Amino acid sequence: MPQPEPQAIAKRPHGVKTAALVSSGRHPVSGRAGRAREDARAVEMGLALVGADLSLVHAGDPEQASLRESLEGYLGMYHGLDGGRPGDERDGQLSLLPLRAGEDAVAPLAAWLEQRGVRLALTGQRAECGEGSGMVGYLLAERLGWSIATGIAAIECCDEESVTVLQALPQGQRRRLEIRLPCLIAVDAVAEAPRQSAFGPARRGRIETVDDLLPADESRLDTGSADWRWQPARARPKRLKVVKSTNARDRFKAAAAKSSATGGQVLTDLSPEEAAEKLIDYLRAEKILAQDDQ
Amino acid sequence: MLNSLLPLLIFAALAVGVIGALRRARLWRQGRQTPVVWAHLFLMPKRYLNDLHHVVVRDKAMAHTHVATAGGFVAAMALALVVHGLQWRNPILGGLLLAASAVMFVGALAVNHRRLNPPEKLSSGPWQRLSKSLLAYSVGMFLISLPLVGVAPTVLGGGVLALILLALVAWGLAEMLIGMGWGGPMKHAFAGSLHLAFHRRPERFDDQHRDPNSSERHDAHRGSRSTALFPLDLTAKALGVEKPADFQWQQLLGFDACVQCGRCQSVCPAYAAGQPLNPKKLIQDMVVGMAGGSDARYAGSGHPGLDVGRHHGASNQAIVPRLVEAETLWACTTCRACVEECPMMIEHVDAIVDMRRFLTLERGETPEKGAAAIDNLIATDNPGGLDNASRLDWAADLEIPRIQDRPAGVDVLLWLGDGAFDMRNQRTLRALVKILRAGGVDFAVLGEEERDSGDVARRLGDEATFQRLAERNIATLSRYRFQRIVTADPHSFHVLGREYGDFGGNYHVLHHSTFIAELFDAGRISVAAPAQAETVTYHDPCYLGRYNGEFAAPRQVLAALGLEVAEMARSGYRSRCCGGGGGAALSDVPADLPGRARIPDMRMEDVRETGATTVAVACPQCTAMLEGVVEPRPRIKDLAELVADALVEPVRATNATSAPSQSREEEPA
């Protein structure tokens, strides 16, 4: 593998092993498999940060027909890197962690991240098909004891110890966060659009199957999902806020509001019991829990 | 003295010229190798005298000039070799040599006259010098040969006059023979002849004019049978053309044949609109890349907005961006006007698409809107990213038969094209359906099973997506039975009819203008005479006319409608592009530059000059581009709309296929 020039390394967080967790996407109109929109943004963010040193990982069923097509979509993004000199470019590499039906992705992903010494993991906020619970990031961070930041719009800088990011807030606001490494970053849909996936690099990218990560045992089975009833996801209804103001600016603000971030309270230094109490009160007030629900 | 020096001079020049020529040939052979069939050299004279001359003669004065100069030179050179070189001092041959030199002299005078105030399209520099060299050679050769017929004293062989004459001939020989091999302007004769012999598209020279009894209406135009892009082997190690050495060697040979006459430059719509593309400069860029060096010595018009002299290349160095800017490649509308005009039969569009293929497939550098269209094509089979099931929404009330319900097959499969998603084009399609019904045509559509033909993806260089779409469309079409395909979209017409053949899809495809003309011929539809006399003009779509040679049928349809057609100055094979083809409309190159007209605006100016109040079009892209011109402007009507408006419904009491929905068709679309 050709070594990148020293100059190129100096600009990069040398030594911080970076990986992007990618999943198979589902096109909103045709339902066809392809790059997932947020995951592609995570790969773009990773490529902009560390170039072709970025490694990709996917945990899924290797037998699935359209899998290779969607994974190649990510590998096709490995172009215009390493100073942009053609010929010096390295091809993308993706580790495929095979899952059998009913197996959960978190354990093998965590094992892979540890085994490869990854300290910065990038991913989208939720998968476009399958469970799409948006929980993988949290479960991974919990299992590995990492920090997690969600809704990230950009990485500003990254060194050996920490990473500085911009978090997307409603109405175009951004919050700067400095996060200790190792950490997992869930990329928001407002992040930099992914580069075009090109056929040549996609064709050359390597997909290696990694299947000796964990001893096969029962704990990998996602027992909970066995009893689930599956149905296509529907967009959640949006709470309408009727604004009676005659002021155009207020009406516009109300119409453009992403989600209301007002009226909340920040509670700190609570005991777990108190915190749970507060949460239950809130859920009751929002009529998510019935009043008599214990 | 002359008798000893002249042969020496001639053979020395010949030898040096040959050495240069061999070195030049090595430059061409850097390209991808294909087998060389030496027997093709015998095809060259016919191709030169017939096909090349056919193009040159479009400029009559220049054709005569070239015949005199080139013919005179070839004859004078051959005779000089015998008479002066081999010292066979036969008075008859001497007389012929004098005559040839005289003819060449007359031609050279005409060349010099043209060069007094050279038009903008011509290159200066060495080309300006060539006109003088032609004079030097013809005058020198004439005078030095006078003693052969005894007109001048043989004592001419001594003294100052002889030295002057020798110097003139030496200058001429240096330009004509040495320059031919070593890359001077006369290179065009040497490279051009070989290019004619080894042309990558031999079909362009098959001189089969239209057979009056043939049912094929297209193919009427010379060269229009070889317009399909070459398929790309997607398993090859390198995709597309990154560096000059990635071209096929015949392409490099073709670039070297360029005479810098600038005919391509003067017809290029992108150049006229001030976009950064000059086809002539692009070909010279390729020559610079092949031979190595900088473009500083180029002495013609550059790419608009880009300085000449800043770019350089080498045969093994990436072309974009050091030799050619990417925007130059994306500005091309693939209208083929340059190829059509090129007297040296150079294939500009092939070269541009080859380089685009590399940018798209290897570098992922398609312009943003183009890349979005490709992504949509991959995900939804249409460039707009729309639900493919909505392809027939516009026809919800028309009850168009689906081919899926007609297992026994139909006569005509109506290919809708992506215009089916465009509200303007839906009016055209509704008009076409009305005509088909009136003509009692047995037709059906594929509906949501129809995919984009892949035209845009292919012109944007995404051969992978094109081939995937082509294979899927061919698989779909193979499941149904139909006699022929009719489409209102010349791009689909071209791709289905010409380009699917390489992937195993061979269909009889007709453009709707051809099909409507057939309906008229067969008396299956009848139209009312126009209420008031109106002058219309017709805009030839590039992909119908230049690409497929169909110029007659649309005019036949207009004639059948009783409309008076005022032709534009640039019509037929010289039609000016609307600016909408080849993915140029999806590039990031700005369409409207300060102080310059947009491509469709220029075309509308052509229309206005005819005084026509309506411009008949036959392509969804042209319709969209021309309708984008600000009002007031002539109306834009598709041929199908014009016919449908004038249609007289025959009393057809017992026609099961057309009866049920006739009442609905009359609603305004």
Side-chain angles (χ1 to χ4, degrees):
Chain A
M1 191 179 286
Q3 286 297 311
E5 283 194 2
Q7 221 183 1
I9 292 174
K11 282 186 282 182
R12 290 184 180 162
H14 182 45
V16 177
K17 178 92 177 135
T18 308
L21 280 48
V22 295
S23 62
S24 181
R26 188 177 180 282
H27 193 270
V29 173
S30 67
R32 226 171 260 181
R35 292 185 287 175
R37 278 150 295 158
E38 284 181 353
D39 289 347
R41 283 174 155 79
V43 173
E44 174 63 40
M45 200 178 269
L47 290 175
L49 189 69
V50 297
D53 290 330
L54 179 78
S55 37
L56 303 178
V57 60
H58 171 78
D61 179 6
E63 304 298 313
Q64 199 194 325
S66 61
L67 184 68
R68 204 180 157 83
E69 207 168 310
S70 29
L71 295 183
E72 277 182 354
Y74 297 108
L75 290 169
M77 295 170 69
Y78 281 70
H79 56 75
L81 307 165
D82 294 336
R85 284 181 312 280
D88 288 1
E89 294 195 352
R90 285 174 289 158
D91 304 324
Q93 275 211 60
L94 186 141
S95 301
L96 175 60
L97 318 181
L99 293 184
R100 282 181 296 277
E103 280 185 340
D104 192 69
V106 172
L109 282 175
W112 184 87
L113 289 172
E114 276 195 321
Q115 187 205 52
R116 299 289 163 109
V118 173
R119 299 191 67 220
L120 180 62
L122 302 160
T123 183
Q125 302 193 101
R126 99 182 25 238
E128 290 176 4
C129 48
E131 285 178 33
S133 63
M135 288 294 288
V136 171
Y138 293 100
L139 293 171
L140 272 175
E142 182 189 38
R143 194 181 185 106
L144 294 165
W146 288 15
S147 330
I148 178 168
T150 57
I152 300 308
I155 293 183
E156 286 195 320
C157 63
C158 180
D159 57 33
E160 307 281 315
E161 304 300 321
S162 66
V163 54
T164 310
V165 299
L166 287 182
Q167 189 178 40
L169 299 176
Q171 294 183 312
Q173 297 179 84
R174 298 285 183 272
R175 172 159 59 196
R176 181 169 290 115
L177 303 172
E178 196 180 321
I179 309 162
R180 235 180 335 99
L181 291 180
C183 89
L184 191 138
I185 285 175
V187 176
D188 195 86
V190 300
E192 180 87 4
R195 67 191 66 196
Q196 189 179 356
S197 177
F199 178 80
R203 186 183 59 158
R204 283 191 301 272
R206 284 189 299 280
I207 299 180
E208 52 154 359
T209 309
V210 185
D211 44 11
D212 50 355
L213 277 171
L214 292 174
D217 59 25
E218 285 299 301
S219 69
R220 291 169 69 186
L221 279 182
D222 181 3
T223 45
S225 65
D227 323 324
W228 290 6
R229 193 165 57 86
W230 291 82
Q231 63 180 49
R234 264 183 313 193
R236 259 190 306 187
K238 208 170 165 185
R239 178 167 301 188
L240 281 178
K241 200 187 268 178
V242 181
V243 179
K244 293 226 170 70
S245 166
T246 51
N247 181 337
R249 184 170 177 272
D250 289 346
R251 285 198 305 272
F252 178 75
K253 271 177 75 177
K258 197 174 174 186
S259 65
S260 153
T262 54
Q265 16 174 335
V266 180
L267 302 167
T268 48
D269 301 330
L270 294 181
S271 71
E273 288 76 20
E274 286 170 324
E277 201 61 41
K278 291 280 184 195
L279 284 174
I280 288 167
D281 286 348
Y282 173 75
L283 294 174
R284 282 201 178 122
E286 291 285 316
K287 299 200 172 62
I288 292 167
L289 286 180
Q291 291 295 341
D292 52 352
D293 199 345
Q294 290 304 307
Chain B
M1 186 178 76
L2 269 185
N3 289 350
S4 53
L5 276 183
L6 206 50
L8 203 67
L9 203 59
I10 291 177
F11 284 114
L14 198 61
V16 177
V18 167
I19 293 172
L22 291 174
R23 287 170 58 101
R24 204 77 204 170
R26 282 226 322 256
L27 289 181
W28 306 328
R29 298 295 285 175
Q30 297 174 108
R32 285 184 199 164
Q33 303 290 313
T34 55
V36 181
V37 186
W38 292 103
H40 285 176
L41 282 173
F42 293 112
L43 297 171
M44 194 265 286
K46 181 242 148 198
R47 289 179 177 180
Y48 175 79
L49 294 171
N50 190 0
D51 301 85
L52 186 142
H53 188 69
H54 175 89
V55 180
V56 177
V57 83
R58 290 174 191 169
D59 181 348
K60 283 232 163 52
M62 191 54 224
H64 295 151
T65 305
H66 191 259
V67 166
T69 321
F73 166 68
V74 171
M77 195 65 236
L79 288 164
L81 270 175
V82 177
V83 175
H84 294 303
L86 303 176
Q87 297 283 318
W88 189 28
R89 307 175 71 81
N90 180 321
I92 298 173
L93 290 180
L96 287 174
L97 174 53
L98 284 176
S101 309
V103 170
M104 182 181 171
F105 177 69
V106 174
L109 279 183
V111 173
N112 277 276
H113 177 72
R114 185 164 179 250
R115 288 277 166 182
L116 283 179
N117 273 315
E120 188 231 356
K121 62 180 186 174
L122 291 180
S123 291
S124 50
W127 296 89
Q128 204 71 10
R129 187 190 71 218
L130 175 65
S131 56
K132 310 285 180 297
S133 312
L134 291 170
L135 276 183
Y137 180 84
S138 54
V139 169
M141 194 52 81
F142 185 84
L143 293 179
I144 221 163
S145 306
L146 277 179
L148 291 173
V149 289
V151 173
T154 41
V155 291
L156 201 81
V160 183
L161 184 61
L163 278 181
I164 294 173
L165 285 184
L166 264 185
L168 271 183
V169 171
W171 171 13
L173 285 172
E175 179 76 87
M176 308 301 286
L177 287 185
I178 301 179
M180 192 182 286
W182 288 84
M186 282 307 291
K187 176 187 71 175
H188 81 269
F190 161 55
S193 324
L194 293 178
H195 181 228
L196 285 180
F198 300 117
H199 200 281
R200 202 174 168 215
R201 292 183 178 272
E203 304 86 2
R204 285 191 68 181
F205 306 100
D206 290 349
D207 188 17
Q208 293 164 10
H209 281 281
R210 185 171 142 202
D211 172 8
N213 303 320
S214 161
S215 63
E216 290 271 329
R217 278 167 184 272
H218 46 82
D219 285 7
H221 185 58
R222 188 189 291 263
S224 67
R225 252 163 327 199
S226 184
T227 50
L229 290 175
F230 289 94
L232 183 67
D233 176 10
L234 292 174
T235 57
K237 196 157 163 282
L239 302 172
V241 167
E242 177 188 14
K243 42 194 194 293
D246 290 340
F247 282 111
Q248 268 195 13
W249 77 272
Q250 294 114 310
Q251 288 178 286
L252 294 179
L253 170 60
F255 302 146
D256 228 10
C258 175
V259 273
Q260 304 197 28
C261 65
R263 291 188 184 198
C264 51
Q265 169 185 323
S266 57
V267 295
C268 177
Y271 180 79
Q275 293 179 12
L277 167 65
N278 176 353
K280 174 173 114 174
K281 171 72 163 57
L282 182 75
I283 296 304
Q284 287 312 306
D285 288 343
M286 298 298 106
V287 173
V288 165
M290 174 184 74
S294 134
D295 67 342
R297 285 172 59 206
Y298 172 71
S301 311
H303 301 301
L306 301 174
D307 292 335
V308 174
R310 296 253 180 98
H311 291 79
H312 48 90
S315 63
N316 272 307
Q317 182 183 301
I319 294 172
V320 177
R322 290 175 74 182
L323 183 58
V324 173
E325 299 290 341
E327 53 179 4
T328 295
L329 302 179
W330 298 117
C332 176
T333 66
T334 70
C335 73
R336 258 185 107 78
C338 48
V339 184
E340 180 69 46
E341 287 299 316
C342 181
M344 304 309 285
M345 311 276 168
I346 298 170
E347 293 283 344
H348 311 64
V349 174
D350 282 350
I352 288 173
V353 172
D354 280 341
M355 291 184 274
R356 284 184 178 183
R357 281 175 174 172
F358 174 76
L359 290 182
T360 292
L361 294 175
E362 289 290 347
R363 299 269 279 269
E365 284 173 4
T366 320
E368 207 172 305
K369 276 184 280 178
I374 291 172
D375 281 347
N376 286 334
L377 282 169
I378 292 171
T380 63
D381 296 331
N382 64 72
L386 301 156
D387 186 357
N388 213 34
S390 64
R391 199 175 271 272
L392 269 181
D393 282 5
W394 55 276
D397 59 337
L398 292 183
E399 291 163 28
I400 299 181
R402 312 288 185 100
I403 199 157
Q404 291 84 346
D405 307 331
R406 301 288 306 276
V410 288
D411 177 27
V412 166
L413 173 67
L414 179 61
W415 187 274
L416 303 171
D418 291 316
F421 296 106
D422 172 57
M423 292 177 78
R424 172 63 183 85
N425 190 240
Q426 288 165 4
R427 302 211 307 260
T428 304
L429 289 171
R430 291 181 72 95
L432 181 56
V433 168
K434 185 177 169 187
I435 296 166
L436 294 179
R437 290 228 159 108
V441 178
D442 174 28
F443 74 101
V445 296
L446 279 172
E448 60 181 83
E449 279 195 79
E450 181 185 317
R451 297 175 162 88
D452 176 85
S453 63
D455 167 69
V456 166
R458 192 169 217 199
R459 315 294 137 181
L460 285 172
D462 193 346
E463 185 74 3
T465 301
F466 166 74
Q467 290 191 9
R468 192 159 37 210
L469 287 167
E471 279 156 16
R472 290 181 184 171
N473 274 326
I474 290 169
T476 304
L477 289 171
S478 69
R479 290 204 305 275
Y480 303 110
R481 295 170 65 185
F482 51 86
Q483 294 299 313
R484 45 202 174 157
I485 301 175
V486 170
T487 178
D489 174 13
H491 295 263
S492 303
F493 166 59
H494 173 71
V495 171
L496 263 70
R498 300 248 169 209
E499 302 197 339
Y500 276 14
D502 290 323
F503 306 94
N506 292 299
Y507 312 105
H508 183 42
V509 190
L510 293 174
H511 184 250
H512 71 313
S513 61
T514 318
F515 190 71
I516 293 171
E518 269 181 28
L519 291 180
F520 273 120
D521 281 351
R524 289 168 75 180
I525 49 174
S526 46
V527 288
Q532 67 221 46
E534 194 193 356
T535 312
V536 301
T537 188
Y538 170 65
H539 165 74
D540 288 277
C542 309
Y543 277 74
L544 183 63
R546 268 190 297 273
Y547 272 78
N548 288 289
E550 180 59 282
F551 303 105
R555 290 175 170 83
Q556 225 172 309
V557 170
L558 291 173
L561 287 171
L563 293 168
E564 189 196 329
V565 181
E567 292 287 357
M568 286 181 263
R570 284 181 62 176
S571 64
Y573 68 83
R574 275 191 162 153
S575 172
R576 195 206 290 260
C577 175
C578 71
L586 298 171
S587 73
D588 297 335
V589 184
D592 42 351
L593 292 157
R596 309 297 282 262
R598 293 157 66 242
I599 297 175
D601 290 343
M602 290 187 291
R603 190 54 175 163
M604 194 51 82
E605 211 36 61
D606 293 349
V607 173
R608 287 197 183 104
E609 274 170 21
T610 66
T613 46
T614 299
V615 50
V617 289
C619 168
Q621 304 266 25
C622 301
T623 314
M625 295 305 282
L626 293 178
E627 284 211 328
V629 176
V630 286
E631 302 251 22
R633 51 155 168 72
R635 292 188 308 160
I636 288 116
K637 283 277 205 176
D638 194 275
L639 284 172
E641 291 178 292
L642 289 172
V643 173
D645 288 350
L647 215 51
V648 180
E649 296 277 341
V651 188
R652 203 190 292 272
T654 55
N655 192 321
T657 53
S658 59
S661 48
Q662 265 179 1
S663 58
R664 287 181 181 179
E665 279 166 35
E666 275 144 30
E667 289 170 16

